[in-house]
Amino acid sequence: MTPEFVLTHDSEQMVGHDGPVVLLVSKRMVKSRNIAFALNALMTLTESAETVRRFHGKLHFVVSGYEKDHRELSQIPEVRRYFAAIAQEWPHWL
């Protein structure tokens, strides 16, 4: 049975999967501003027009480690800086 989605911190798990992809970003990645994993995943998902079409609307980010923080993720400065750093390197969100 094929899983409904892939929850991963390894972009190689996305290859060959057609369902939704959930990229797991840890608090440690956010704090160290280690965007290499996210950029690699985004590059993998956009390496061809066919891949872009295949994963259109199927990519989700999950940021773990902030469950005890009562703020929304968008209110946490380090999370905003993390995603701003990704956008600086990969400005193709839309």
Side-chain angles (χ1 to χ4, degrees):
M1 177 177 216
T2 304
E4 291 182 35
F5 64 90
V6 171
L7 174 63
T8 185
H9 55 79
D10 178 2
S11 61
E12 294 302 315
Q13 287 181 324
M14 297 181 302
V15 178
H17 181 73
D18 286 328
V21 173
V22 180
L23 298 179
L24 184 58
V25 176
S26 69
K27 187 175 186 176
R28 183 179 52 161
M29 288 176 175
V30 170
K31 284 186 164 280
S32 66
R33 212 174 300 173
N34 180 356
I35 63 171
F37 156 69
L39 284 178
N40 184 42
L42 290 168
M43 297 294 188
T44 299
L45 294 175
T46 58
E47 67 187 3
S48 71
E50 187 274 328
T51 307
V52 169
R53 283 190 294 275
R54 195 171 92 197
F55 290 102
H56 177 75
K58 295 181 180 180
L59 175 64
H60 308 277
F61 280 90
V62 170
V63 181
S64 67
Y66 292 92
E67 293 79 12
K68 293 181 181 178
D69 193 317
H70 298 292
R71 297 174 290 178
E72 295 292 327
L73 286 174
S74 63
Q75 296 174 316
I76 301 173
E78 62 201 27
V79 174
R80 284 198 321 266
R81 285 190 294 271
Y82 180 82
F83 283 97
I86 292 172
Q88 181 73 32
E89 297 296 320
W90 194 86
H92 310 290
W93 292 100
L94 298 177

